[in-house]
């Protein structure tokens, strides 16, 4: 039986230059989709999937993320005194338990692969999930990571959630090529990070959710620069593919690339429309605008 996935890694060291000036003094991961920071949405997905330990790869100016995942006693006292029990309850529900978060710093922005490598001591020699907080996956039933863990329980190995995108956007992503599969799960037989236009093996992109075996760290430690001069997780995965299976999951749900302004704004609309407390009023306002 495949070893259980208990830990999740969240790389949150990026500078967020695409959202300046909003991200000058505030981490991009704290931008809100409706009333929850991006990083909270992604931690929610990991909690729902049964993850027990949450590892954040931070950098300078990211301290507020650590504060966000701590208790706020003054606020709790005020809420309690005012009888706001449901707000108090949901603050507690959002919080990973005591001792179940770890924070380490990526000291230099050398790429996603390097950020993940910074988690090697905290993860240890066990499989782990990797979730990129730029990407939100909205689902009707189980979250994306929970769907991936179901596949992992059946197949073991390494799992990557994939999403088809229009051909002209493929160059912005990691891309996989797949073999014959069953239903939504396909063995991966190749990968490339940000392929030059016209060279991509498919239009199936790596969307930012991974289950990886710890041997990835051995490959990352020896890793050289790849696309964009950065140490790339996709290059290490391609090396690991020579000795371990990788599976692509065409998950059920919809992805929002919140690293782009349009993706982020669209996510806000989609998540607002899925919120029973504001959906009707919001829909009416949107109708007036368009
Ligand atoms: C990263 C990964 C890429 C993946 C993408 C998803 O790229 O390197 O393989 O497709 O996230 O958002 P980045 O967006 O950091 O350039």
């Amino acid at each position: 039986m495949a070893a259980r996935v208990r830990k999740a890694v969240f790389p949150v060291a990026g500078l967020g230059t695409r959202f300046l000036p909003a991200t000058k003094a505030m981490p991009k991961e704290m931008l809100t989709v409706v009333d929850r920071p991006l990083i909270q949405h992604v931690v929610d997905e990991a909690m729902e999937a049964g993850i027990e330990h949450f590892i954040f790869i931070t950098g300078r100016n990211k301290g507020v993320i650590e504060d966000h995942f701590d208790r706020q006693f003054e606020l709790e006292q005020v809420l309690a005194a005012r009888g706001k029990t449901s707000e108090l309850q949901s603050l507690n529900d959002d919080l990973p338990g005591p001792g179940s978060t770890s924070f380490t710093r990526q000291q230099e922005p050398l790429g996603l692969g390097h950020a993940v490598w910074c988690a090697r001591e905290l993860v240890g020699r066990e499989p782990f999930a990797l979730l990129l907080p730029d990407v939100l996956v909205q689902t009707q039933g189980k979250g994306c990571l929970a769907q991936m863990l179901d596949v992992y329980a059946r197949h073991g190995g390494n799992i990557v959630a994939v999403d088809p995108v229009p051909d002209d956007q493929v160059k912005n992503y990691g891309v996989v090529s797949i073999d014959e599969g069953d239903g939504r799960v396909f063995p991966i037989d190749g990968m490339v990070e940000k392929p030059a236009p016209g060279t991509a093996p498919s239009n199936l992109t790596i969307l930012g959710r991974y289950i990886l075996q710890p041997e990835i760290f051995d490959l990352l430690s020896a890793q050289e620069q790849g696309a964009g001069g950065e140490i790339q997780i996709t290059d290490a995965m391609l090396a690991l593919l020579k000795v371990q299976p990788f599976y692509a999951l065409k998950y059920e749900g919809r992805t929002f690339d919140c690293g782009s302004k349009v993706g982020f704004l669209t996510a806000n609309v989609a998540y607002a429309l899925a919120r029973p407390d504001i959906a009707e009023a919001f829909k009416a306002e949107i109708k007036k605008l368009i």
Side-chain angles (χ1 to χ4, degrees):
M1 209 178 73
R4 208 155 64 85
V5 178
R6 302 185 307 124
K7 299 182 181 179
V9 173
F10 304 87
V12 291
L15 292 175
T17 50
R18 279 186 283 182
F19 280 90
L20 284 169
T23 50
K24 193 175 161 196
M26 182 182 73
K28 64 174 173 172
E29 296 80 11
M30 293 302 292
L31 294 172
T32 52
V33 168
V34 188
D35 50 11
R36 299 173 85 67
L38 282 170
I39 187 65
Q40 180 76 58
H41 281 285
V42 181
V43 165
D44 291 345
E45 182 185 330
M47 280 170 128
E48 183 239 359
I51 293 295
E52 294 166 10
H53 198 97
F54 303 80
I55 299 168
F56 300 85
I57 314 301
T58 71
R60 289 175 288 282
N61 300 326
K62 300 283 183 167
V64 68
I65 296 176
E66 197 163 341
D67 293 340
H68 180 77
F69 289 106
D70 193 5
R71 293 188 61 181
Q72 234 277 35
F73 284 107
E74 283 160 9
L75 176 64
E76 288 175 21
Q77 274 169 4
V78 171
L79 291 175
R82 293 185 185 168
K84 295 197 177 272
T85 42
S86 72
E87 285 86 348
L88 198 53
Q89 183 62 44
S90 58
L91 276 186
N92 284 327
D93 292 347
D94 293 344
L95 205 57
S100 64
T101 53
S102 298
F103 298 82
T104 191
R105 282 193 178 195
Q106 184 189 24
Q107 293 161 329
E108 288 176 87
L110 298 180
L112 177 59
H114 179 260
V116 175
W117 181 73
C118 290
R120 67 199 179 283
E121 298 290 340
L122 292 169
V123 172
R125 304 307 290 182
E126 57 181 280
F128 63 100
L130 169 63
L131 298 96
L132 308 190
D134 272 358
V135 178
L136 292 191
V137 189
Q138 193 181 37
T139 56
Q140 298 294 330
K142 276 189 183 180
C144 184
L145 184 61
Q147 294 177 38
M148 293 169 71
L149 285 169
D150 287 347
V151 174
Y152 177 75
R154 291 204 304 277
H155 294 269
N158 301 267
I159 319 280
V160 180
V162 297
D163 217 14
V165 304
D167 289 344
D168 63 332
Q169 288 172 30
V170 166
K171 63 179 189 312
N172 301 322
Y173 297 95
V175 180
V176 301
S177 59
I178 55 172
D179 212 337
E180 295 282 299
D182 66 80
R184 293 181 168 273
V185 185
F186 303 83
I188 294 177
D189 58 19
M191 292 176 220
V192 56
E193 180 66 19
K194 305 200 171 66
T199 66
S202 79
N203 71 340
L204 282 181
T205 62
I206 299 170
L207 78 88
R209 299 289 186 274
Y210 314 73
I211 293 170
L212 296 168
Q213 296 296 326
E215 288 76 18
I216 197 79
F217 294 122
D218 308 332
L219 295 158
L220 283 170
S221 62
Q223 215 190 313
E224 291 171 6
Q225 293 174 348
E230 297 190 341
I231 298 173
Q232 297 287 357
I233 189 79
T234 309
D235 294 341
M237 294 197 301
L238 184 60
L240 190 55
L241 177 63
K242 294 199 178 105
V243 290
Q244 288 186 11
F246 273 76
Y247 300 95
L249 170 64
K250 293 186 184 173
Y251 67 97
E252 285 182 67
R254 181 162 179 204
T255 296
F256 299 94
D257 182 357
C258 295
S260 85
K261 289 188 181 78
V262 171
F264 174 72
L265 294 169
T266 313
N268 264 290
V269 174
Y271 278 70
L273 292 174
R275 278 271 299 259
D277 56 334
I278 56 171
E280 284 314 311
F282 184 58
K283 214 184 284 176
E285 293 301 322
I286 289 275
K287 272 193 190 139
K288 283 189 221 162
L289 284 177
I290 51 178

